[in-house]
Amino acid sequence: MTKHLLIVDLEATCWDGDVPGLARRQTVEDMEVIEFGCVVAEPDGKVLDAKSFFVRPVLRPQLSSFCTQLTGISQQQVAVAPVYAEVVQDINAWLAAYQPFCWASWGDYDRHQLDAERQHKGCEPAFMAIEHKNLKQLWREGRAAKRRSGLQAALAFHGLAFEGQHHRGIDDARNIARLLPWIPL
């Protein structure tokens, strides 16, 4: 039986400068997930399935122009999307066809954001109960400590160009999957 890996890349509400109504920069507690980019892949990078789940933010429902420019996600896309708890149910139903041995992300931001969402919304995707792997950290192991390890830099290191739109969850997740052949799991 082939083992499956779930790659998750989140996009969230964000601002260039202070959070509206607050005199400080954003933290994960201020942000809300607006997209789950999810890829089910084999450890060698073969993509078995991929899906984008948009989420309607409720704390600050109006996306900043910075956020829409950065992610390419429009106000209309999130305005008609289900709320977080409904999306969690949709993700759980979608993943029922797979048995991922772990879930992974490029860095720890996604795990921290999901922890904050659980605290605020009282629910989390079922995959949070399985092991998380920080693929960025695993990719860096055995490479020069000062090597740039952003997603685009890691792709370039292997002679790969980024495909799609950077900071779009589904595109980032697909590109992360392309790096799996060089990441020890």
Side-chain angles (χ1 to χ4, degrees):
M1 180 169 140
T2 303
K3 291 186 173 187
H4 303 133
L5 168 77
L6 172 65
I7 299 170
V8 176
D9 189 86
L10 303 175
E11 300 306 328
T13 55
C14 54
W15 304 269
D16 186 21
D18 290 347
V19 177
L22 304 175
R24 62 173 173 72
R25 304 284 292 177
Q26 66 197 10
T27 66
V28 293
E29 286 78 24
D30 302 313
M31 301 162 70
E32 289 179 276
V33 172
I34 57 173
E35 182 192 15
F36 280 85
C38 298
V39 168
V40 176
E42 293 178 357
D44 66 0
K46 179 183 176 189
V47 173
L48 304 174
D49 202 353
K51 190 162 173 114
S52 172
F53 298 87
F54 288 117
V55 183
R56 180 170 19 115
V58 294
L59 183 61
R60 291 179 183 82
Q62 184 65 41
L63 299 182
S64 69
S65 59
F66 172 78
C67 186
T68 58
Q69 289 172 358
L70 179 70
T71 65
I73 298 170
S74 73
Q75 183 66 47
Q76 177 63 19
Q77 287 171 304
V78 298
V80 299
V83 294
Y84 187 83
E86 293 171 25
V87 173
V88 164
Q89 292 174 359
D90 292 345
I91 291 169
N92 291 345
W94 174 68
L95 282 174
Y98 305 99
Q99 295 295 317
F101 69 93
C102 74
W103 76 279
S105 58
W106 194 258
D108 275 331
Y109 158 75
D110 305 271
R111 186 173 53 80
H112 293 305
Q113 185 64 50
L114 290 172
D115 283 339
E117 293 282 357
R118 179 184 43 77
Q119 291 173 3
H120 292 302
K121 301 203 170 88
C123 64
E124 65 185 4
F127 66 75
M128 289 291 286
I130 61 175
E131 179 185 5
H132 172 260
K133 291 188 182 276
N134 179 335
L135 297 178
K136 181 180 188 177
Q137 182 180 41
L138 292 171
W139 180 81
R140 283 188 70 158
E141 288 178 8
R143 292 181 172 81
K146 295 188 186 228
R147 168 131 355 256
R148 292 182 55 209
S149 58
L151 179 54
Q152 288 184 315
L155 289 164
F157 180 83
H158 297 288
L160 302 172
F162 190 91
E163 295 176 355
Q165 179 173 338
H166 191 41
H167 295 299
R168 191 45 218 286
I170 190 64
D171 292 340
D172 287 355
R174 287 180 193 274
N175 281 286
I176 294 166
R178 294 171 64 211
L179 290 169
L180 287 176
W182 296 282
I183 300 174
L185 295 174

